[in-house]
Amino acid sequence: MRAVDLARFNIQVMVGHRFRTLMLMIALIIGVAAVNLLTGLGEGARLFVLGEFSFLGKNTLIIMPGKKETTGGMPPITGEAPRDLTLEDMQALTRLSAINHAAPLIAGMAELSYQSRLRESFVVGTTHDFFAIRKLSLLQGRALPPGNPTFADAVCVLGQTLKRELFGPEPALGQWVRAGDRRFRVIGILEGKGVAMGLNFDEAMLIPVASAQMLFNQEGLFRLFAEVRSERELTPTRNTILSIIKERHDGEEDITLITQDALLSSFDEILRTLTLAVGGIAGISLAVAGVLIMNVMLISVSQRTAEIGLLKALGASAATVRRLFLSEALLLAIIGSLIGLLISESLLAAGRLLYDQIPLGSPVWVKIAAVGVAIVTALLFAYLPARKAAALAPVEALTHKQGP
């Protein structure tokens, strides 16, 4: 029997048994859609998180207070801090010729107000070099002034959204904003930056680090960023920084120093594993679909015994009968997989429209693997019913009577 005849015959069978076909199709659609959709969500989350941490250059070191031993796992986000990182530590690092920029970071929430408008917002205490390290651009005005980081200048730079919510269409440059019990003069407006590392710069206010220390009554720094002049100097500079801080902290190595590559590598490994695990769990639904195909086809063989007997009486071989059942399963798997892919891709596209910052989408190999697994599963689980149908004797099949 030619492939065209097989396809035509199977389509007639599928149309003639609509409910059975629909049940099998739904099982395959759910299986393929679940694999593609969950993998797409996981991949989107992985790319989003990696993008969040890739704002720093590859030659930027992140220094955190507290020491945690490296075991090959994820670098610590927070460290135990027996001794604070200080502005004096940062000033000691800026004397290194290999360091291009160094910037401290203190962050906290504060109530900001301008005239009658109030807003709870994120306040970042840092220095002029932070703009270069974080590649922050200005829409208006200027960045925080360079100079002595211990000088608490009463100036600030606002994110775009924060400026709009406090000042509306009015110009903000030169105006005074109150944060807690302090006042800051607006000297700059940031260009749209979006969210990075969970911090939305569009809704943040940047002030000098010394001012942030007084605002939050906090001496210790949350982070130190050190941009090395070249990647080639990264490792020796890292060792030099550890030596300097150790010497300044009475011989105790009580900081954690990581590179962006280490951070990204750890996040990438963890999130990729989670994505594969979620995709694998979704793949179980394809095995369930396969069991359903086998059961339904076994019933189908029983219901179509007379039809099989007639085919054999007309000269159809056992191989032809077997091919009929396997090709029906193949056709179901192809149609169900394509519909499942279409539905899941539509949902991922809708997700991208709703959350345009998250690149939701599964890799091409996942789509191919989902369809391939669905087809292989359908053929494997359809083989037993097909073999049973092929083994029927013509006379026995023609004289077979279905039960009540």
Side-chain angles (χ1 to χ4, degrees):
M1 187 179 283
R2 297 178 303 168
V4 175
D5 297 328
L6 272 176
R8 188 182 297 125
F9 180 85
N10 285 321
I11 290 172
Q12 289 174 351
V13 170
M14 290 162 62
V15 171
H17 300 80
R18 294 184 186 84
F19 183 74
R20 174 171 65 87
T21 302
L22 183 63
M23 291 299 101
L24 294 176
M25 201 82 82
I26 288 175
L28 287 163
I29 289 171
I30 291 175
V32 172
V35 171
N36 192 49
L37 182 62
L38 291 178
T39 308
L41 291 174
E43 186 69 6
R46 185 181 73 85
L47 293 175
F48 175 74
V49 172
L50 293 182
E52 289 279 284
F53 286 88
S54 63
F55 62 91
L56 298 171
K58 289 185 176 179
N59 53 337
T60 299
L61 296 167
I62 305 168
I63 306 160
M64 296 178 285
K67 178 69 177 176
K68 287 194 175 180
E69 295 298 329
T70 301
T71 58
M74 180 179 165
I77 298 300
T78 59
E80 297 173 1
R83 189 178 283 101
D84 288 336
L85 271 174
T86 63
L87 285 177
E88 289 72 24
D89 291 331
M90 187 201 74
Q91 288 174 311
L93 299 185
T94 55
R95 299 187 192 103
L96 293 174
S97 61
I99 290 184
N100 204 21
H101 298 286
L105 181 72
I106 291 179
M109 298 296 293
E111 186 178 81
L112 310 183
S113 64
Y114 173 72
Q115 295 180 349
S116 61
R117 295 169 185 158
L118 293 174
R119 174 74 195 274
E120 186 82 10
S121 185
F122 213 67
V123 177
V124 177
T126 186
T127 60
H128 179 81
D129 281 6
F130 187 71
F131 287 74
I133 294 175
R134 289 295 308 264
K135 299 177 178 52
L136 297 177
S137 302
L138 291 161
L139 186 67
Q140 295 176 356
R142 56 190 173 90
L144 295 177
N148 187 352
T150 61
F151 178 61
D153 203 356
V155 295
C156 69
V157 175
L158 301 180
Q160 271 191 26
T161 305
L162 183 59
K163 180 266 170 187
R164 187 170 59 250
E165 292 181 351
L166 286 178
F167 294 92
E170 300 174 22
L173 293 183
Q175 302 298 328
W176 289 84
V177 175
R178 178 168 289 280
D181 58 350
R182 297 183 174 277
R183 296 172 72 228
F184 297 91
R185 185 168 56 87
V186 180
I187 61 170
I189 307 297
L190 284 177
E191 205 171 60
K193 184 68 178 178
V195 180
M197 285 185 73
L199 174 60
N200 188 351
F201 278 93
D202 293 344
E203 299 180 354
M205 180 171 84
L206 278 67
I207 61 176
V209 64
S211 300
Q213 286 178 316
M214 289 190 282
L215 178 65
F216 298 120
N217 191 26
Q218 173 186 341
E219 284 297 320
L221 304 178
F222 180 61
R223 294 283 186 275
L224 259 178
F225 297 98
E227 185 185 270
V228 181
R229 291 188 187 279
S230 68
E231 285 186 57
R232 188 165 44 84
E233 298 177 88
L234 204 58
T235 302
T237 305
R238 180 182 185 278
N239 296 332
T240 305
I241 290 175
L242 285 173
S243 300
I244 291 175
I245 299 295
K246 184 176 180 180
E247 184 181 342
R248 291 185 53 80
H249 290 194
D250 300 327
E252 189 173 348
E253 192 175 303
D254 56 359
I255 60 168
T256 299
L257 204 158
I258 60 174
T259 62
Q260 178 183 259
D261 279 351
L263 198 64
L264 289 179
S265 174
S266 298
F267 274 116
D268 190 25
E269 185 180 344
I270 292 169
L271 294 173
R272 195 182 293 276
T273 303
L274 284 175
T275 301
L276 291 176
V278 170
I281 292 171
I284 295 174
S285 59
L286 285 174
V288 174
V291 174
L292 180 65
I293 288 172
M294 184 174 68
N295 291 334
V296 171
M297 283 212 159
L298 282 172
I299 297 171
S300 174
V301 170
S302 174
Q303 292 174 337
R304 295 166 62 187
T305 301
E307 178 187 327
I308 295 167
L310 181 61
L311 285 171
K312 285 204 161 185
L314 292 174
S317 64
T320 301
V321 174
R322 189 165 49 243
R323 229 175 9 250
L324 282 173
F325 279 84
L326 289 177
S327 59
E328 182 186 348
L330 177 64
L331 195 58
L332 280 169
I334 291 174
I335 297 174
S337 301
L338 293 179
I339 295 175
L341 273 184
L342 184 64
I343 291 173
S344 55
E345 286 296 315
S346 301
L347 291 174
L348 289 172
R352 287 193 292 272
L353 286 176
L354 290 174
Y355 305 99
D356 57 353
Q357 293 177 336
I358 305 177
L360 298 173
S362 61
V364 175
W365 69 265
V366 170
K367 300 179 180 67
I368 295 173
V371 173
V373 170
I375 290 174
V376 171
T377 303
L379 291 176
L380 280 177
F381 283 92
Y383 183 75
L384 180 62
R387 194 177 67 171
K388 184 180 177 183
L392 287 174
V395 175
E396 180 188 345
L398 285 171
T399 56
H400 176 79
K401 291 183 180 178
Q402 293 185 17

